[in-house]
Amino acid sequence: MKTNNREFIRLKYIALIILFLFIIIYLVGFSRDIMFVLGIILMGSLYISFQNVVKELYCEMREVIAYAANDQQTIIKDGDLGLLYNEMMRLKKRTVAYEKVIQQEKDKLRQMIEDICHQLKTPLTSISIYNDLLLDERYKTIILKKLISRLKK
């Protein structure tokens, strides 16, 4: 993976320096005990360098996420993190646009369902009222007479 991020470049140079120091120690021909101690020291320094670079990258990633969350238009820096920031901003804008479209579709669907319910409730209410009146003995004869008179016309 080719990268142009300064942390990875610095880490590569540190690893190369430590590798050259290992070679020099080997060529000088120190005793095994001295070579072991120097090797431990060099490996420890390489480990600490890796830890520092990872810690810096972690902090910068948190900054990228914070900038993206606040929707600020500043570029963090050039390199991989800058590219990541730009991609995150594009993704965030697309997500917001999709959310708006989905919300509009939900609103349209809700309105359509409300209209359908209203259109169904009106005749059902009339039928329910007539049904209640027909079940009531007092109004049954009056309603039947009206219906018969309408049918005769």
Side-chain angles (χ1 to χ4, degrees), residues 71-104:
D71 198 21
Q72 297 183 9
Q73 296 298 322
T74 58
I75 300 292
I76 303 297
K77 65 179 182 178
D78 292 333
D80 294 335
L81 289 177
L83 293 173
L84 176 65
Y85 171 76
N86 291 335
E87 288 299 317
M88 287 175 61
M89 291 306 296
R90 279 193 214 125
L91 180 63
K92 182 178 180 181
K93 288 177 183 176
R94 269 192 260 153
T95 305
V96 168
Y98 287 141
E99 284 177 355
K100 287 179 183 176
V101 169
I102 290 171
Q103 187 61 42
Q104 289 172 352

Side-chain angles (χ1 to χ4, degrees), residues 30-48:
F30 289 118
S31 69
R32 289 182 110 171
D33 294 336
I34 294 174
M35 286 178 62
F36 178 74
V37 170
L38 290 176
I40 295 291
I41 291 171
L42 290 176
M43 291 303 288
S45 65
L46 183 63
Y47 176 77
I48 291 171

Side-chain angles (χ1 to χ4, degrees), residues 40 106 124 136:
I40 295 291
K106 282 182 179 179
L124 288 175
D136 191 356

Side-chain angles (χ1 to χ4, degrees), residues 54-69:
V54 169
K55 191 182 295 183
E56 286 178 28
L57 286 174
Y58 176 77
C59 292
E60 289 179 5
M61 283 298 301
R62 299 301 293 169
E63 288 177 22
V64 167
I65 291 170
Y67 277 120

Side-chain angles (χ1 to χ4, degrees), residues 3-56:
T3 181
N4 57 354
N5 208 343
R6 66 175 182 217
E7 288 85 8
F8 290 113
I9 294 171
R10 188 180 71 192
L11 201 56
K12 181 176 74 171
Y13 286 132
I14 290 172
L16 285 174
I17 290 170
I18 289 175
L19 178 67
F20 284 131
L21 288 174
F22 269 125
I23 293 171
I24 290 171
I25 289 171
Y26 179 75
L27 291 176
V28 169
F30 289 118
S31 69
R32 289 182 110 171
D33 294 336
I34 294 174
M35 286 178 62
F36 178 74
V37 170
L38 290 176
I40 295 291
I41 291 171
L42 290 176
M43 291 303 288
S45 65
L46 183 63
Y47 176 77
I48 291 171
S49 298
F50 273 103
Q51 287 293 93
N52 290 338
V53 168
V54 169
K55 191 182 295 183
E56 286 178 28

